Amino acid sequence: MDQEINFNQVTHTYQVNTPFAQDALDNVSVTIAPGSFTAIIGHTGSGKSTLVQHINALLKPTTGEIAVYGRTINPNTTNKNLKQLRKHVGMVFQFPEKQLFEETVIKDIMFGPKNYGVSEQDARRDAEDAMKLVGLDENLSEKSPFDLSGGQMRRVAIAGVLAMKPQILILDEPTAGLDPRGHKEIMDLAQELHDQQHMTIILVTHQMDDVVDYASDVIVMDQGKIVKHGNPQEIFSNPQWVYSMHLDLPSSAEFATRLVDEGVPLRHTPLTIEKLADEIAQLVQGGQEHE
Amino acid sequence: MSNFLFGRYLPGKSWVHQMSPQSKLMLSFYFVIVIFFANNVWTYASLSVLILIVVVMSGVSIGYFLKGIRPLIWLIIFTVLLQILFSSGGHVYWHFGPFSVSDTSLINGGYIFVRFLLIIMISTVLTLTTTPLAIADGVQTVLKPLKKVHFPVDTLALMLSIALRFVPTLMDEMETILNAQRSRGVDFGSGSLKHRIQAAVPLLVPLFTGAINHAENLSTAMEARGFTDSEHRSKYRVYRWQRKDTISWVAFLLVGVLVLFIRNN
Amino acid sequence: MKDIIQIKNISFNYPDQPLLFDKLSMDVHEGEWTAIIGQNGSGKSTLARLIDGLIVLKSGQIVVDGLTVNDENIFEIRNKIGMVFQNPEDQFVGATVEDDVAFGLENRQVPREEMHRIVEKSLRQVGMWEFRDRIPANLSGGQKQRVAIAGIVALSPKIIILDEATSMLDPRGRQEILSLVNEIKKQNKLTVISITHDIDEAAGADWVIVVNNGAIVEEDKPDNIFGDIEKLESIGLSAPFTSQLMTALKARGIDSHSQYLNDERLITWIKKLISTK
Ligand SMILES: Nc1ncnc2c1ncn2[C@@H]1O[C@H](COP(=O)(O)OP(=O)(O)OP(=O)(O)O)[C@@H](O)[C@H]1O
Ligand SMILES: Nc1ncnc2c1ncn2[C@@H]1O[C@H](COP(=O)(O)OP(=O)(O)OP(=O)(O)O)[C@@H](O)[C@H]1O
Ligand SMILES: [Mg+2]
Ligand SMILES: [Mg+2]
């Protein structure tokens, strides 16, 4: 089956034909490759969340169509028969801990699989696997999810999506509000799911450092349009453009720019700390060798 | 869901927007009272014409307006059906156990439907054209006399304004939770009644905890900004009685008289 | 330097929960930008709420600008402190931008004419005057936070507390809010307390307080705090960018032999390395 995600001239207007109408996507065409780790960035309100919610047909396009997993979603798509699609496309919303409702952690994680007709036993097994994956201790399974810390609740919510064994995982700002350790753990989890379980990961984020550390593809959105799609190197090659998009350079590139302004002759704009250190080392040690 | 209009404010500069909140509020009350005097086709028709004129003057398109209150119409139809089935008298067309349908119950059902519709329409116009704070302000002024009997008028008014302010926020939140649970395989709005009720739990629990959370955050934010009680506050906006208010009152009073005149006695 | 906030031996717990703070003491220096960092659940927001008298101490004392936080002084204390919270949606009380900024003034029974003057001035200061008629639904997160800041500026406080106020914003929005607060801080000689998970933001502060499990692990200048990366990492925090770069350089045989350098000093050092090669 064709596994790529294909947007074909998709437009989305919220509350269309009302005085509250709000254009959120404007003629978007893009292909997200299977197995990629794609980051979606852009200013607040640029349409990132709207875009990703089309992938599992939570939102239907106002015009245009989306092809995903052999399904075509167009303005006439109804809410029927979308279960298979939604099982393939796991969606972790911003602040996903808000969706928890069961009495115990394990029950909440089992909720998804059971909706897809998995037996109680298998659902429990899938849930336990998912708990391990996100690093939740076994002895938490009978606790109420509401008694957990913020970071743990977030993990329960993510486990609830992973238990359905999706092939595409969409993460909408999964680390908002987490402390540095929690942040790193969630991002490392995404990487592990990508590298080891071969999931397609789509990450909506405001953290440029995560983009260069984890993503292979980047989509930049501005006022409902996709204004750039490429690898991190291409995206961050023009600082002025990046700023005009309400975005930032990754810390290393930002620092490198400042070094260049101060007269340090760096040849490339390094995106990661390792590359920046390489560049500096080359300048320093390369020079020493010449002496 | 996102089309739902009841309780939302739409910024604008229409005739109705510019009226003073007190007079809009009083007019709405007055209109509701008049509705209960209506008892035949002509009285209901004249009130309907009046409300349609009001909707037009609020700058919202009628088609859209009707679409926006549609979710509530189902609720009314349900109530009306119960009313029809359980009332008795008149010529009976059909009956089964305690249920029956007769000509009088049908006609009464129809009137009740229109009555509900009129009430919903006038209150929707009120919230669409009046900011939550202004409504609260109106309530405060209107209920002022009750202060003498130590009724907490100011607090009530403030609570109302905050409730209204949070209608859109909670709607958005509801939509997010619906979508989150849909992604986990819930089929809302399909299957048996039992299934549907079960499907509501994963929606209602998070919605409830979310609402409490918002309320807590908001009250913290309000306190941090020096709010103690709603009584000792000055007012940023004043709403003066204008000619528009006078004209509207005259029109509404005339229709009221008309209704008294043409109703069946 | 004068301590504008003095926290002396405070203890506190939420109902039916163990003690969160047990005899905690700390001070905030007037006119400085103090960053508070720490893991999720370490008690940062609770501390902020205690300072503003939004929740009540079990024992101990908090003094804000010479006034003890208690029922009697609460109104005056809140006049001195402006708070901006994480979720822009939950602190927007008014129906429109203008009404929201006026909310705090109304609570203080400021006369109407003066109120209109102050609202305009504050909204202009944060660049939101053109948006005065907007309703919150039609504003971005960053714009809502600007309105929240205007609402605070309107009350001319002496202290601004930001509780993760920028964590829901895009990168530019985040920087704009921080530089806006910085500008207001300079103009009005304010004290700023910023609770944040952004270590690089904390590295730019005048003073850093590290909280863990309801206790203060460290309080010092960023230079000293970020000298001991292992300690920070052991309590769930991370190293600021410059430290990470220094570690990477050291692995390549380039050692600064200093514990921590901030951006400027690191740049100076690298420039020197290259020019003296
Ligand atoms: N349910 C809704 N009803 C009406 N308008 C909406 C709704 N959800 C989003 N919008 C509007 O659509 C536009 C795009 O919103 P979206 O949430 O997709 O942006 P985003 O890029 O995810 O922003 P953020 O970074 O703040 O999450 C915005 O102008 C927003 O106000
Ligand atoms: N209203 C409350 N009732 C009961 N317990 C609470 C309440 N608010 C916070 N707590 C608990 O008190 C502890 C400290 O919480 P606090 O919100 O102060 O942490 P924080 O450092 O601000 O964390 P974060 O970085 O996640 O914002 C946590 O264990 C938390 O679960
Ligand atoms: Mg979003
Ligand atoms: Mg906090």
Side-chain angles (χ1 to χ4, degrees), chain C residues 58-159:
Chain C
K58 200 168 161 216
S59 65
Q61 191 192 26
I62 298 180
V63 180
V64 175
D65 197 25
L67 286 175
T68 301
V69 178
N70 57 24
D71 279 351
E72 225 165 281
N73 294 330
I74 200 72
F75 209 68
E76 246 179 290
I77 301 250
R78 288 187 192 152
N79 271 337
K80 293 176 190 287
I81 302 177
M83 285 183 77
V84 189
F85 300 92
Q86 176 181 36
N87 189 343
E89 189 65 29
D90 287 352
Q91 46 193 318
F92 208 112
V93 188
T96 67
V97 167
E98 224 178 327
D99 290 287
D100 189 66
V101 176
F103 179 77
L105 297 166
E106 292 177 320
N107 291 335
R108 285 161 180 84
Q109 297 180 290
V110 176
R112 186 172 305 123
E113 289 73 42
E114 205 181 329
M115 204 149 39
H116 277 270
R117 197 177 47 74
I118 299 175
V119 167
E120 176 170 349
K121 185 167 155 252
S122 318
L123 277 172
R124 283 190 191 284
Q125 197 168 359
V126 302
M128 289 293 292
W129 176 242
E130 279 70 38
F131 296 83
R132 60 187 175 280
D133 289 330
R134 297 267 195 112
I135 56 174
N138 295 343
L139 296 173
S140 75
Q143 289 171 331
K144 281 182 212 162
Q145 292 300 53
R146 274 173 187 265
V147 176
I149 292 170
I152 284 169
V153 171
L155 306 173
S156 22
K158 298 184 88 166
I159 303 165

Side-chain angles (χ1 to χ4, degrees), chain A residues 14-15 22-24 42-50 94 173 206, chain B residues 172 175, chain C residues 137:
Chain A
Y14 283 102
Q15 308 186 42
Q22 179 81 249
D23 293 330
H43 59 83
T44 46
S46 59
K48 304 180 294 294
S49 301
T50 308
Q94 207 177 356
E173 295 183 45
H206 285 312
Chain B
D172 282 353
E175 193 134 341

Side-chain angles (χ1 to χ4, degrees), chain C residues 1 6 57 100 116 137-138 148 164 176 196 252 256 277:
Chain C
M1 195 172 319
Q6 295 157 298
L57 281 176
D100 189 66
H116 277 270
N138 295 343
E164 294 187 49
E176 279 170 14
T196 181
R252 287 163 181 75
S256 68
K277 67 187 174 188

